[in-house]
Amino acid sequence: IEIKGLSPHTVRAYAYDLLVFYRWWFANRKKAFKKLNTFDLQSWIEYQRKQNAKPASINRRLSAIESFYRFSFGENIRRSNMVSHPTRGYRNIGRKRLGVLSVRRHPSIEPSLRVKMPRPLINPLEAEEIQRFFKVLRHYRDEVIVLLMLFCGLRSAEVIDLKMDNVDFIRKRIRVWGKGGKERILPLPDRLIYAMKKYLSLERPDVSQSKHFLVVLHADSRGEKMTLIGLRSLFRYWREKTGVKKAHPHNFRHSFGTNMARYGVSLPVLQKMMGHAEFKHTLRY
C-alpha cells in the first residue's frame, strides 16, 4: 500500500489495525492465520464491541484484515455456515431507450462482514464554548492551530503537515494536501494572518530547520515539526482547563463546515473546501 502511493498516515493506520487483530488472534485462536473464516471475524467483532470500538474503526480494521489475507494467500477469507452473510449486490448495466433501467446479478461481488454505521448529526461547538476555549491559549502558535481548523476547516494531519511555502500572505491563501493527496487552496482570514505573522516573528525558533510551518516551541524537540500525538495532547490539556468536552480537533472542523453551510455556501463549493472525496459527507452539514 505504500508503493501504491497511500499516505504515511494510512500505512500506519493499516499496520495498527493488523496489530490489534493479531493480538486478539494469537491470544484466542490456536490455529494458523490461513484458517481464518468469517465466524472468527464475527467473534472478533463481538470482542471489539466490548472494547467500545467505534463502528467506523471496526469496519476499517475488517477491510485491512481482508486485504492482508488476500495479499498473503491470493484468496478471500473462507465463509462459514455459522454466519449470516449479506446478500450479493446488484450492478446497473446501463439505461436503455425510453429510460428503462436494467439490473442483473453481478457474481464477482463478494459481500463482506461489516458493522452497521450510525449517521449521527453534526454537533458543532457553540460560540460561547469557542470563546471560552480561546481564553486558555497562551501562544500565537496555538491560536494558529485552532484557527486553521475553525476558519479553514483543516484536519489535524493537514495542520501539522502545512509547510512554510504553502502559506501565501500576499494572496491571502494557503495550499493544502488532504487525504489521497488531493490539493486544495483556501483563503486566509485577516485574524488568522495576524496570528501567523506574530507566531513567525515572536515564537518560532530561529534555529529551526524544519520546512513545516508549525514546530515545537519547548523541550528537547524545540524547532522540530509537531506530531499528531503532541497536537492531541495539547487539545486534551485545553479541554481539561476549559471544561469544554466537545473541543476535539475535528469538532472545530465541523464548526467550520456548519457555519459555511449556514451562511449559504453551496454544497459543491463546501465539498471542495472541506476536501471531501464523496458528496454524502458534505451533505451532513
Side-chain angles (χ1 to χ4, degrees):
I1 62 176
E2 188 173 16
I3 292 173
K4 289 179 180 179
L6 275 69
S7 72
H9 301 296
T10 303
V11 175
R12 183 179 60 191
Y14 268 60
Y16 179 74
D17 292 340
L18 291 175
L19 176 63
V20 170
F21 176 75
Y22 259 63
R23 284 174 173 169
W24 174 84
W25 176 260
F26 288 116
N28 296 274
R29 292 295 189 267
K30 305 300 182 182
K31 59 182 180 179
F33 178 60
K34 189 174 183 179
K35 295 184 178 180
L36 171 70
N37 59 39
T38 51
F39 178 73
D40 296 319
L41 285 183
Q42 184 169 272
S43 301
W44 180 78
I45 291 173
E46 182 181 9
Y47 167 77
Q48 286 286 285
R49 284 190 174 279
K50 291 179 180 178
Q51 298 296 312
N52 295 319
K54 294 182 179 179
S57 298
I58 295 175
N59 287 341
R60 190 192 67 232
R61 289 167 184 171
L62 286 169
S63 178
I65 295 165
E66 290 171 350
S67 298
F68 185 63
Y69 191 93
R70 284 193 296 269
F71 170 81
S72 301
F73 307 115
E75 59 186 33
N76 291 325
I77 295 173
R78 294 178 175 84
R79 295 165 64 96
S80 171
N81 293 331
M82 300 173 68
V83 177
S84 176
H85 292 273
T87 57
R88 293 180 181 271
Y90 287 86
R91 182 178 178 183
N92 177 15
I93 61 173
R95 288 182 179 274
K96 299 179 180 179
R97 295 180 183 179
L98 303 179
V100 178
L101 181 65
S102 299
V103 294
R104 63 178 173 82
R105 273 195 179 285
H106 195 274
S108 65
I109 298 177
E110 184 67 28
S112 301
L113 282 177
R114 290 295 184 269
V115 176
K116 184 176 180 180
M117 290 280 292
R119 296 190 177 275
L121 295 174
I122 297 296
N123 187 21
L125 292 160
E126 301 294 336
E128 182 273 331
E129 292 175 321
I130 294 174
Q131 292 173 2
R132 196 182 346 150
F133 192 83
F134 269 95
K135 289 181 180 180
V136 303
L137 303 183
R138 293 293 178 262
H139 299 284
Y140 285 110
R141 183 208 60 181
D142 300 342
E143 187 174 338
V144 169
I145 291 172
V146 179
L147 290 178
L148 282 171
M149 299 171 179
L150 184 63
F151 285 176
C152 300
L154 267 61
R155 303 177 177 94
S156 297
E158 294 169 347
V159 169
I160 64 172
D161 286 341
L162 185 69
K163 296 182 179 178
M164 296 290 289
D165 56 5
N166 297 151
V167 181
D168 187 344
F169 287 124
I170 297 177
R171 298 181 181 179
K172 296 185 177 182
R173 65 185 191 181
I174 55 173
R175 190 181 299 271
V176 180
W177 277 267
K179 289 184 177 180
K182 296 181 179 65
E183 180 183 0
R184 66 188 192 274
I185 295 176
L186 296 163
L188 284 177
D190 290 337
R191 181 180 174 186
L192 180 51
I193 291 176
Y194 174 82
M196 282 179 155
K197 289 184 175 180
K198 285 292 187 181
Y199 156 70
L200 291 175
S201 61
L202 300 177
E203 295 179 351
R204 196 175 198 274
D206 296 332
V207 297
S208 177
Q209 300 297 317
S210 176
K211 296 180 180 179
H212 291 85
F213 191 84
L214 296 164
V215 297
V216 179
L217 300 182
H218 306 291
D220 296 337
S221 55
R222 172 179 166 83
E224 297 179 7
K225 174 193 173 184
M226 292 187 66
T227 64
L228 278 174
I229 295 176
L231 185 71
R232 289 165 183 162
S233 296
L234 280 175
F235 273 88
R236 190 181 306 115
Y237 170 77
W238 293 330
R239 285 197 300 273
E240 291 174 355
K241 291 283 288 185
T242 60
V244 183
K245 296 182 179 179
K246 294 193 304 181
H248 292 269
H250 220 65
N251 272 344
F252 284 94
R253 172 175 157 86
H254 284 330
S255 298
F256 166 81
T258 301
N259 287 329
M260 290 297 102
R262 183 179 296 162
Y263 287 103
V265 175
S266 66
L267 287 179
V269 173
L270 183 57
Q271 181 183 6
K272 293 292 184 182
M273 296 180 74
M274 299 287 290
H276 287 153
E278 298 182 25
F279 198 61
K280 65 180 181 181
H281 298 306
T282 315
L283 282 173
R284 297 168 64 196
Y285 297 97

